[in-house]
Amino acid sequence: MVQCVHTVKELRNILKPLKAQGKTVGLVPTMGALHPGHATLISQSSKQNDITVVSVFVNPTQFGPNEDFDAYPRTLDNDLKVVEGAGGDIVFAPSPKEMYPSEDMTWVEVTGNITKVLCGKTRPIHFRGVATVVSKLFNIVAPTKAYFGQKDAQQVEVLKRMVKDMFFDLELVVVPIAREQSGLARSSRNTYLSDEEKSQATVLCAALNLALESFKSGNNDLESIINITKQKISSSEIADIEYVECYGLPGLYELKDKIQAPSLLAVAVRFGNTRLIDNIILE
Amino acid sequence: MVQCVHTVKELRNILKPLKAQGKTVGLVPTMGALHPGHATLISQSSKQNDITVVSVFVNPTQFGPNEDFDAYPRTLDNDLKVVEGAGGDIVFAPSPKEMYPSEDMTWVEVTGNITKVLCGKTRPIHFRGVATVVSKLFNIVAPTKAYFGQKDAQQVEVLKRMVKDMFFDLELVVVPIAREQSGLARSSRNTYLSDEEKSQATVLCAALNLALESFKSGNNDLESIINITKQKISSSEIADIEYVECYGLPGLYELKDKIQAPSLLAVAVRFGNTRLIDNIILE
């Protein structure tokens, strides 16, 4: 039976005796609205750790003023079922006041190119909010391992850097993108899509795969790979491209004319009012 | 015998088995140049914990471009003796490269009035550097308790806020100001003072005590208390006042006309080229 707690104190009271027994703890930080993509993270954690904690917190500080914080789906009852089904043990669902106890915030911020490219360009405060809330969760849970989806590829790179710079004593585990049969990357924001938009959005995965094929067949020209991706996405008339960009891994370093393996090819595209992201590693 | 280590890996290798045995760990973060003020922190930690770790690191990110980073005294051999004499067990003396592994920094920053008043006005990046390096040390050592001197009163308030906001699982212990017989607050920067300056600088402690007496005898007028302090300091001809300010505790909240107990009365004053700080709690 999954236990659901809402305060740091309750959570620590549960974890303390378990840790004293030497149990390992996996943390899966989420914003709730759990779907089968999250379930793969939770079930991987549950296989690799004695205890799995899933945090469910729609973090206000990672949303910009014109973003979908209020509209973001909140489905705690269903989330508890997903966690149970995937083998999780504890859901930590705090209030914003619990996570942000002071009026003036303490921020954790990763600086440099890594937070300025891709989503960082149009979402300037997003990664500061992510780094801050994830740091808090790390300090609250002190997990052995923490699980993040490759779907949020830039988030993964930012958090890897943060873990290294701040000496968090844990292993960050990156889980591959979960996709629907159609190829559409699973996302809580897919619930915003109409049937038509959902069908059109499958072009993202198709475009990324086309680029990967081209790269694998010997095309390492940056501009050409970007163009192949853009052209394919534009074959959907309702696709409104925010970016199609490619950076070197690890750390999202700037590429010159040629793509070095491994590199991240990432896209953000609007279908109607819904902004979707997807990515693939060229290697 | 005190052990001195220079890398995070060595330190963790030593601490891991001790923690597995359930030993408590006290952390005393310092910039070295240890004096009897530091010794009181170390000996308090050694009484309250199984193991005491003293970090010795002149943290570059808390010095402004025109401050004394290069000139700051570095006396590791003597520091080891002070730590040994005070009952410390391990000295952690990392290089800047060890503590800041990436070119682009990850920062921890406490925002709001608390970092803008007092020293925050003339040292705008100082507390960001302090919060960042102390967060790293907390993550590296994961201490049971961490010890800081009341001498750096604003630092104490900033770190209390940070510990609360970021959910560091430790107790922050504040140790009273250690003073020379003359009343001069002990500081690594006192070594910069000439004999004459050192003698004149005793006016700081005298002025703070005068203000406390006045407050205790019923004077809670903010302006009057500030003026009493300033006038006494100005009785030294070489004293160059940077600030004499008073804020409410905890959190350094702004006072209106009247001083509420407890409040912090704090001063920063130059004697020659040396900037000294001192403070007293009005309660």
Side-chain angles (χ1 to χ4, degrees):
Chain A
M1 188 57 200
V2 171
Q3 257 186 298
C4 182
V5 298
H6 300 281
T7 67
V8 173
K9 203 175 163 186
E10 286 171 282
L11 182 58
R12 283 193 167 147
N13 284 344
I14 296 171
L15 291 177
K16 209 177 167 184
L18 297 168
K19 288 192 175 182
Q21 292 164 39
K23 302 249 191 239
T24 58
V25 177
L27 170 66
V28 185
T30 82
M31 297 212 300
L34 301 185
H35 52 65
H38 295 107
T40 62
L41 272 73
I42 298 165
S43 87
Q44 186 163 338
S45 171
S46 123
K47 279 182 200 121
Q48 298 179 331
N49 301 276
D50 298 321
I51 310 288
T52 288
V53 178
V54 179
S55 63
V56 171
F57 180 60
V58 185
N59 176 34
T61 66
Q62 70 190 67
F63 289 80
N66 298 314
E67 293 180 5
D68 58 344
F69 174 68
D70 289 328
Y72 200 86
R74 286 155 171 91
T75 60
L76 186 59
D77 288 345
N78 189 62
D79 293 345
L80 293 172
K81 287 177 201 148
V82 175
V83 172
E84 177 128 35
D89 303 290
I90 301 165
V91 167
F92 175 52
S95 68
K97 184 74 197 153
E98 179 76 7
M99 291 300 280
Y100 294 95
S102 304
E103 213 169 289
D104 294 310
M105 305 281 181
T106 299
W107 294 110
V108 180
E109 186 163 18
V110 179
T111 64
N113 219 36
I114 198 169
T115 50
K116 289 199 189 82
V117 298
L118 300 171
C119 293
K121 223 176 282 175
T122 52
R123 308 187 75 191
I125 63 159
H126 176 69
F127 291 108
R128 186 184 65 170
V130 169
T132 300
V133 80
V134 171
S135 290
K136 291 180 191 232
L137 290 168
F138 284 175
N139 287 343
I140 292 166
V141 177
T144 321
K145 297 179 200 279
Y147 295 78
F148 295 89
Q150 175 61 22
K151 163 90 182 335
D152 300 311
Q154 188 174 13
Q155 170 174 284
V156 163
E157 290 302 309
V158 170
L159 293 178
K160 277 184 185 166
R161 171 76 62 79
M162 182 186 86
V163 165
K164 184 181 162 212
D165 283 354
M166 298 311 298
F167 301 97
F168 281 107
D169 194 12
L170 54 84
E171 187 190 334
L172 202 148
V173 181
V174 183
V175 179
I177 300 178
R179 297 185 181 279
E180 301 191 1
Q181 201 118 45
S182 67
L184 181 65
R186 292 192 186 273
S187 163
S188 303
R189 290 187 171 101
N190 289 352
T191 59
Y192 300 156
L193 297 168
S194 70
D195 287 348
E196 172 60 15
E197 287 164 351
K198 204 167 174 181
S199 151
Q200 297 274 324
T202 60
V203 77
L204 299 184
C205 176
L208 292 168
N209 278 319
L210 202 63
L212 178 62
E213 262 174 50
S214 177
F215 179 74
K216 279 194 164 168
S217 72
N219 177 9
N220 68 348
D221 185 78
L222 179 61
E223 202 183 326
S224 161
I225 291 286
I226 299 283
N227 282 338
I228 287 167
T229 315
K230 281 186 173 168
Q231 269 170 30
K232 179 69 183 175
I233 294 173
S234 301
S235 71
S236 159
E237 277 178 16
I238 62 166
D240 178 11
I241 296 177
E242 181 183 304
Y243 66 73
V244 173
E245 293 177 33
C246 188
Y247 295 97
L249 292 174
L252 304 183
Y253 65 86
E254 202 86 35
L255 297 164
K256 300 291 169 202
D257 303 335
K258 298 293 168 198
I259 298 174
Q260 310 270 351
S263 281
L264 178 76
L265 178 63
V267 305
V269 179
R270 276 178 197 281
F271 293 85
N273 292 321
T274 307
R275 180 180 178 277
L276 300 179
I277 58 172
D278 201 347
N279 69 82
I280 203 162
I281 293 175
L282 305 180
E283 61 185 348
Chain B
M1 188 59 201
V2 172
Q3 257 186 299
C4 182
V5 299
H6 300 281
T7 67
V8 174
K9 202 175 164 188
E10 286 171 284
L11 181 59
R12 283 192 167 147
N13 283 344
I14 295 171
L15 291 177
K16 209 177 167 185
L18 297 168
K19 289 193 175 179
Q21 292 165 39
K23 302 249 190 241
T24 58
V25 177
L27 171 66
V28 185
T30 82
M31 297 212 300
L34 301 185
H35 52 65
H38 295 108
T40 63
L41 274 74
I42 298 165
S43 86
Q44 186 163 340
S45 170
S46 125
K47 279 181 201 120
Q48 299 179 331
N49 300 277
D50 298 322
I51 310 288
T52 289
V53 177
V54 179
S55 63
V56 171
F57 180 60
V58 185
N59 175 33
T61 66
Q62 70 191 67
F63 289 80
N66 298 315
E67 293 179 5
D68 58 345
F69 175 68
D70 289 329
Y72 200 86
R74 287 155 170 91
T75 60
L76 185 58
D77 288 345
N78 189 62
D79 293 346
L80 293 171
K81 287 178 200 148
V82 174
V83 172
E84 175 128 37
D89 303 291
I90 300 165
V91 167
F92 175 51
S95 67
K97 185 74 197 153
E98 180 76 9
M99 291 300 280
Y100 294 95
S102 303
E103 214 170 289
D104 294 311
M105 305 282 180
T106 299
W107 294 109
V108 180
E109 187 162 18
V110 179
T111 63
N113 219 35
I114 198 169
T115 50
K116 289 200 189 82
V117 298
L118 300 172
C119 293
K121 222 176 282 175
T122 52
R123 309 187 73 189
I125 63 159
H126 177 68
F127 291 109
R128 185 183 67 172
V130 169
T132 301
V133 80
V134 171
S135 290
K136 290 180 192 231
L137 290 168
F138 284 175
N139 287 344
I140 293 166
V141 177
T144 321
K145 298 180 200 278
Y147 295 78
F148 295 89
Q150 175 61 22
K151 163 89 181 337
D152 300 311
Q154 188 174 13
Q155 171 174 285
V156 163
E157 290 303 308
V158 170
L159 293 178
K160 277 183 183 165
R161 171 76 62 78
M162 181 185 87
V163 164
K164 183 180 163 211
D165 283 354
M166 299 309 299
F167 301 97
F168 281 106
D169 193 13
L170 54 86
E171 186 190 333
L172 202 149
V173 181
V174 183
V175 179
I177 301 178
R179 296 186 181 279
E180 300 191 4
Q181 202 118 45
S182 67
L184 181 64
R186 292 193 186 273
S187 163
S188 303
R189 290 187 171 101
N190 289 352
T191 59
Y192 299 156
L193 297 169
S194 69
D195 287 348
E196 173 59 18
E197 287 163 352
K198 204 167 173 181
S199 152
Q200 297 274 324
T202 59
V203 77
L204 298 184
C205 175
L208 292 168
N209 279 319
L210 201 64
L212 178 62
E213 264 173 50
S214 176
F215 180 74
K216 280 194 162 165
S217 72
N219 177 8
N220 68 347
D221 185 77
L222 179 61
E223 203 182 326
S224 160
I225 291 285
I226 299 282
N227 282 339
I228 288 167
T229 316
K230 281 188 175 169
Q231 268 170 27
K232 179 68 183 175
I233 294 172
S234 301
S235 70
S236 159
E237 276 180 15
I238 61 166
D240 178 11
I241 295 177
E242 182 183 304
Y243 65 72
V244 173
E245 293 176 31
C246 188
Y247 295 97
L249 291 175
L252 304 182
Y253 65 85
E254 203 84 36
L255 297 164
K256 301 289 170 202
D257 303 336
K258 298 293 169 199
I259 297 174
Q260 310 269 351
S263 281
L264 178 75
L265 177 62
V267 305
V269 180
R270 276 179 198 280
F271 292 86
N273 291 321
T274 307
R275 179 181 179 278
L276 299 178
I277 58 172
D278 201 347
N279 68 81
I280 203 162
I281 293 175
L282 305 180
E283 61 184 350

